[in-house]
């Protein structure tokens, strides 16, 4: 399966192949600030499954922490993806790949939520233990 998406103005085209490793929601203040919303929907991919197929010269990177290299279009500011080198994964904004059937499986950083969501999905205080978090579950 292949999905193609673009930045806000269309100057950058990305392609993801296969299936994401995970999908869910992040409630951390960094993701909320970057996305401009009360929660960020993520899809995590292996780096080899993500390609910029057009407009690579228009891609800029902002690195706030060693955990996240946020990529965006320098023409329109449209967000594309976030590389997470310590995790070996790339978070491609689900809105950037409109044909992907978003099927969230988890909430991460739920201790920081400003939008409680009662959807029956697991709510992690921070990150799963395998990603360096506590793995601690929270109540809905």
């Amino acid at each position: 399966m292949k999905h193609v998406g673009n930045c806000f103005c269309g100057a950058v085209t990305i392609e993801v192949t296969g299936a994401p490793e995970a999908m869910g929601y992040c409630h951390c203040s960094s993701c909320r600030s970057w996305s401009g919303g009360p929660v960020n929907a993520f899809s995590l991919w292996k780096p080899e499954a993500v390609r910029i197929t057009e407009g690579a010269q228009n891609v800029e990177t902002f690195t706030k922490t060693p955990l996240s290299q946020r990529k965006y279009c320098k023409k329109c500011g449209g967000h594309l993806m976030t590389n997470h080198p310590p995790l070996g994964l790339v978070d491609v904004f689900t809105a950037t790949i409109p044909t992907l059937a978003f099927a969230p499986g988890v909430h991460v950083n739920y201790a920081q939520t400003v939008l409680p969501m009662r959807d029956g999905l697991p709510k992690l205080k921070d990150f799963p233990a395998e990603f360096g978090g506590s793995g601690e579950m929270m109540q809905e």
Side-chain angles (χ1 to χ4, degrees), residues 94-107:
T94 57
T96 305
I97 41 178
T99 59
L100 177 68
F102 182 59
V106 67
H107 291 264

Side-chain angles (χ1 to χ4, degrees), residues 2-6 12-16 53-54 96-100:
K2 185 186 300 185
H3 300 279
V4 176
N6 299 91
V12 179
T13 301
I14 64 169
E15 177 183 286
V16 293
T53 58
E54 291 179 40
T96 305
I97 41 178
T99 59
L100 177 68

Side-chain angles (χ1 to χ4, degrees), residues 25-42 64 70-72 77-82 91 93-96 114-115:
Y25 299 104
C26 185
H27 296 260
C28 81
S29 60
S30 261
C31 281
R32 290 195 325 264
S33 179
W34 180 251
S35 70
V39 65
N40 181 58
F42 64 81
K64 183 176 180 181
R70 299 174 192 274
K71 304 218 175 260
Y72 63 95
H79 300 169
L80 298 164
M81 65 188 87
T82 302
D91 171 7
F93 285 95
T94 57
T96 305
V114 297
L115 180 66

Side-chain angles (χ1 to χ4, degrees), residues 42-121:
F42 64 81
S43 65
L44 296 174
W45 304 78
K46 291 185 177 175
E48 57 271 17
V50 181
R51 288 188 327 129
I52 296 171
T53 58
E54 291 179 40
Q57 72 277 11
N58 296 313
V59 176
E60 291 287 342
T61 303
F62 177 76
T63 303
K64 183 176 180 181
T65 70
L67 180 64
S68 302
Q69 299 168 343
R70 299 174 192 274
K71 304 218 175 260
Y72 63 95
C73 173
K74 68 181 178 183
K75 284 186 159 188
C76 68
H79 300 169
L80 298 164
M81 65 188 87
T82 302
N83 290 345
H84 295 295
L87 306 179
L89 295 168
V90 178
D91 171 7
V92 179
F93 285 95
T94 57
T96 305
I97 41 178
T99 59
L100 177 68
F102 182 59
V106 67
H107 291 264
V108 295
N109 296 301
Y110 201 71
Q112 297 180 43
T113 195
V114 297
L115 180 66
M117 300 172 75
R118 297 190 187 339
D119 56 9
L121 294 176

